[in-house]
Amino acid sequence: MSPVPDVRTGAPEVSVVICVYTEDRWGDILAAVASVRDQSYPALETLLVVDHNPALLRRLAKTYGDDGAGAEEGAQRVRVLANAGPRGLSAGRNTGVAAAAGEVIAFLDDDAVAERDWLLHFAEGYADPRVMAVGGRTQPVWASRRRPAWFPEEFDWVVGCSYRGLPPGRVAVRNVLGGNASFRRSGLEAVGGFASGIGRDGQRLPLGGEETELCIRLTRALPDAVLLIDDRSVIHHRVPPARERFRYFRTRAYAEGLSKALVARSVGTREGLASERRYTTRVLPAGVARGLRDALLGRPGGAGRAGAIVAGVAAAAGGYALGTLRARRGASSFAVAKLEAPTDDEVADGRWAPDGPSGAPVGRRAPDGASACEGAGG
């Protein structure tokens, strides 16, 4: 095992943000927090950002309250916050970033657990001051206890996991994957937060792409910035039964096409689709050939995997075409939040969301006349 960096010698303090939205994942949320508390490189704090669910907010505040109720003696601090922006993952992440005290902010999915050295390898990456983001490797934990025979590894991004085709080791990349990633605070402050209107927002379609747009915006604003993936920073992500089905596979691929159209509209197709070109022209054809070879050799699922890759490409292409048309007509748009500290007046007149039971200001500005903590309870 590598030596643990010492924050006194320049290694960064890390805040961990976990965005949550449903009590149905209560056990998963507790497991995610426990995995952060068990890190070999201790987190400065864990921030649970609740997405417009008052009952979950109250339950988590009782468990991890600032008064220590329900918390282990000597345990790392867990802060429970209401999403201070519109419903959705992007605004939840922005709320966590604005409230976090660490030099680096790491993100962990609410249905994932991190291996013990997850933050250690993140922290090591920031020894280079040019590094503005470090991502890791996400492994699926299938509800059926094994990968469906037809499900191609090239499409593991459909279930929020690392996929075949990503480079191994610690390498520079265009973008990190949001469910297992970290960012240097100064980089986020330079470009603003995650864009709302791209990623998941609780609606029917499982959209994505907000981390891609953010990373491209980051490297445009800071040309010397380096973004890394270190496959030693491992988390294990739960895949529920519904996401093991072909219907979800196809829907998620279609939604990704919609999201990519928005990203390309924002940053241009050259940058917005640079990684996707290699993926579709080299990685996926190799996957189809591998599946057909397995089918000829009588191996289970070979033909299904080849067919799923073709179907996934077709669904994503359809979503991209429709998303491009909508973007050109102005029917689709998104906004980038400013990550700024509140003024005293904003705190006083309610344009800034409260930090759970303690009342410390967090989040981002709400529009004039709108509540920044709608649905937050209290």
Side-chain angles (χ1 to χ4, degrees), residues 311-344:
V313 171
Y320 183 81
L322 179 59
T324 300
L325 180 62
R326 288 178 176 175
R328 286 175 179 171
R329 291 177 174 176
S332 300
S333 63
F334 60 92
V336 176
K338 293 183 179 180
L339 301 172
E340 299 177 351
T343 66
D344 291 340

Side-chain angles (χ1 to χ4, degrees), residues 14 36 38 62 72 74 126 136 139 142 169 198 217 241 250 252 259 293 307 309 341 348 363:
V14 182
V36 175
D38 195 40
K62 183 177 180 180
E72 302 171 23
Y126 291 101
Q139 296 183 333
W142 302 95
I198 299 181
R217 186 163 21 102
R250 183 178 57 193
R252 177 67 184 89
S259 301
R293 180 198 63 197
I309 291 174

Side-chain angles (χ1 to χ4, degrees), residues 106-311:
F107 297 96
L108 178 65
D109 277 347
D110 64 343
D111 53 356
V113 293
E115 291 192 359
R116 181 169 169 77
D117 290 337
W118 176 59
L119 290 181
L120 169 66
H121 298 304
F122 277 175
E124 290 173 339
Y126 291 101
D128 183 342
R130 298 173 302 164
V131 172
M132 291 292 144
V134 183
R137 176 162 50 96
T138 303
Q139 296 183 333
V141 180
W142 302 95
S144 59
R145 299 183 181 273
R146 60 185 302 176
R147 173 186 296 274
W150 61 269
F151 203 114
E153 292 182 15
E154 291 82 0
F155 271 77
D156 276 6
W157 55 264
V158 164
V159 292
C161 296
S162 301
Y163 54 91
R164 183 190 289 266
L166 286 175
R170 182 196 285 179
V171 293
V173 292
R174 179 196 67 179
N175 64 275
V176 296
L177 304 179
N180 179 11
S182 62
F183 293 86
R184 197 184 293 272
R185 168 183 290 281
S186 59
L188 294 177
E189 290 177 343
V191 301
F194 291 89
S196 60
I198 299 181
R200 292 182 183 249
D201 62 0
Q203 301 301 314
R204 183 174 62 86
L205 284 178
L207 300 172
E210 68 277 10
E211 65 271 6
T212 300
E213 190 277 336
L214 172 61
C215 288
I216 294 173
R217 186 163 21 102
L218 180 59
T219 52
R220 277 186 167 184
L222 305 172
D224 293 332
V226 175
L227 282 60
L228 302 174
I229 284 184
D230 189 333
D231 65 7
R232 299 172 300 169
S233 289
V234 179
I235 70 170
H236 299 268
H237 185 272
R238 184 185 297 277
V239 182
R243 297 188 183 184
E244 294 187 7
R245 297 171 187 156
F246 181 73
R247 180 178 180 180
Y248 179 84
F249 176 93
R250 183 178 57 193
T251 301
R252 177 67 184 89
Y254 172 77
E256 184 69 8
L258 290 173
S259 301
K260 291 297 184 197
L262 269 178
V263 172
R265 182 73 171 170
S266 170
V267 302
T269 56
R270 180 176 180 180
E271 289 179 285
L273 299 177
S275 297
E276 288 74 13
R277 289 192 185 94
R278 175 187 175 276
Y279 173 73
T280 55
T281 59
R282 299 173 64 179
V283 175
L284 294 185
V288 171
R290 193 161 38 248
L292 294 176
R293 180 198 63 197
D294 288 347
L296 291 174
L297 294 174
R299 295 171 180 167
R305 290 191 294 275
I309 291 174
V310 173

